[in-house]
Amino acid sequence: MVSADHHPDGGSFERLMREAEQAAKGDEDLKQRLLTERVVREFVKRLVQEQEAAVNYEISVLGFHVPKRYRTKPPPHAADDHHDHHQKKKRHFEQIINKKSSSSSIVTQEPKKQQRQKKRRKITNRTRAAAAAQVIEVVPEMPERFKNEIEEMGGSKVVLVIQKKLMMCDTTERHNRFSIPIGKIKNDFLEAEEKERLIDRGEAIEDVKLIQPCVSTVNVRLKKWDMDSSYTFNLTKTWYKEAVCNTANQLEIGSRMQLYAFRLEHNNNELCFALVNLDLVNN
């Protein structure tokens, strides 16, 4: 039921009431129903007019109309579109994150891979070095023919001086020497007077007897050669001509050699050497 206290406009409400009374012809219920319908219709009409006026004002001032945002829950299709858009953005960011993580993983894994390869190479090198050292450390016994030769010469006090592989400098005419690095010497083979002569005074010991691998004897020179921070002993003078050039000795780069020292007690404890070619012995 509509009362006169709730009309949208004073003048128009009285007009609507008069029209309703005339149409009802004394029927109070009909008058109230007609009045209510006409009031609602007038209200909606005025509301539409106000909205149209607002739109016309926006167009006249701004040059375009700004639609109002949803004040209630958007239609179902609008919600679906919003959800799809959100999912697309989510997938896009996930792809970016995955690419970054995979690229960073490659960057971090590559050094690890290189480290593993370096570690394997180090282990392999250590294994090879250990195997080579083990081969070097296996010291075969002096062959019987050398023992017999030393015995016939009246030698004694036999010691292993060095066991090594021949290097290029041990086999060339230009170098003409068999080197005895002090770091590889296994047993002390010099007497005090010989050390003073070789090391302190830098003098050579001439005409040292050397039993060759072919078990013939030649004379060589024993001399100390100074290095940068150390020194080495060398057998020189006739080394290349008498020992290397003798094909019976089979002295080649890589040949495994043993150098023994012994003494001739009957000849003032004279220093002598015996050179064994292990590869020649094994063959």
Side-chain angles (χ1 to χ4, degrees), residues 54-278:
V55 171
N56 293 332
Y57 175 78
E58 290 176 356
I59 295 174
S60 63
V61 175
L62 301 177
F64 59 89
H65 169 56
V66 181
K68 292 184 178 180
R69 299 177 62 184
Y70 289 115
R71 298 180 183 273
T72 59
K73 184 177 180 180
H77 69 275
D80 294 340
D81 293 342
H82 179 73
H83 178 72
D84 292 342
H85 178 67
H86 176 72
Q87 291 298 322
K88 288 180 180 179
K89 290 180 66 176
K90 183 178 178 181
R91 287 194 297 270
H92 176 67
F93 284 114
E94 286 177 350
Q95 291 175 355
I96 295 175
I97 293 172
N98 291 334
K99 287 181 179 179
K100 289 184 177 180
S101 61
S102 61
S103 61
S104 62
S105 175
I106 293 173
V107 172
T108 55
Q109 287 177 4
E110 188 61 26
K112 290 182 179 179
K113 183 177 179 181
Q114 294 177 355
Q115 291 174 2
R116 288 195 296 269
Q117 291 176 346
K118 290 181 179 179
K119 189 175 181 180
R120 290 195 200 101
R121 285 196 294 268
K122 287 182 179 179
I123 293 174
T124 303
N125 292 338
R126 284 199 299 266
T127 304
R128 291 175 179 172
Q134 186 175 6
V135 172
I136 293 297
E137 289 302 321
V138 174
V139 180
E141 187 178 355
M142 176 184 281
E144 288 296 325
R145 64 176 181 269
F146 284 89
K147 293 180 181 179
N148 296 335
E149 184 67 19
I150 292 173
E151 185 177 355
E152 290 180 4
M153 293 174 62
S156 62
K157 299 179 182 179
V158 180
V159 295
L160 177 64
V161 178
I162 189 173
Q163 179 169 301
K164 68 169 222 174
K165 290 183 178 181
L166 288 181
M167 307 295 291
M168 182 186 68
C169 61
D170 296 314
T171 60
T172 62
E173 182 178 7
R174 181 171 67 89
H175 292 93
N176 187 29
R177 69 175 183 266
F178 176 86
S179 62
I180 309 171
I182 60 172
K184 293 186 177 182
I185 294 176
K186 295 183 176 296
N187 297 286
D188 189 3
F189 65 99
L190 295 174
E191 294 182 346
E193 187 275 331
E194 294 168 340
K195 290 180 181 178
E196 181 182 357
R197 181 176 176 181
L198 287 167
I199 299 172
D200 297 337
R201 299 202 301 265
E203 298 177 357
I205 300 177
E206 301 288 347
D207 299 325
V208 180
K209 292 182 176 61
L210 172 67
I211 302 176
Q212 302 180 82
C214 63
V215 199
S216 65
T217 304
V218 295
N219 291 333
V220 295
R221 176 190 295 140
L222 176 62
K223 184 176 177 60
K224 185 197 79 167
W225 284 18
D226 291 321
M227 311 294 286
D228 292 336
S229 58
S230 183
Y231 60 88
T232 181
F233 295 115
N234 291 283
L235 300 180
T236 65
K237 194 175 181 179
T238 60
W239 164 254
Y240 179 79
K241 180 179 179 181
E242 298 292 342
V244 177
C245 291
N246 189 340
T247 56
N249 292 327
Q250 298 185 22
L251 300 181
E252 300 174 352
I253 298 174
S255 297
R256 296 179 302 124
M257 311 301 296
Q258 285 181 332
L259 181 68
Y260 291 89
F262 62 95
R263 298 286 171 170
L264 300 180
E265 294 184 7
H266 64 276
N267 192 21
N268 199 24
N269 216 25
E270 179 185 354
L271 174 65
C272 302
F273 293 107
L275 185 64
V276 179
N277 187 339
L278 296 175

Side-chain angles (χ1 to χ4, degrees), residues 9 31 43 49 133 166 174 250 254 280:
D9 179 81
K31 184 184 75 171
F43 178 77
Q49 291 174 350
L166 288 181
R174 181 171 67 89
Q250 298 185 22
L280 182 61

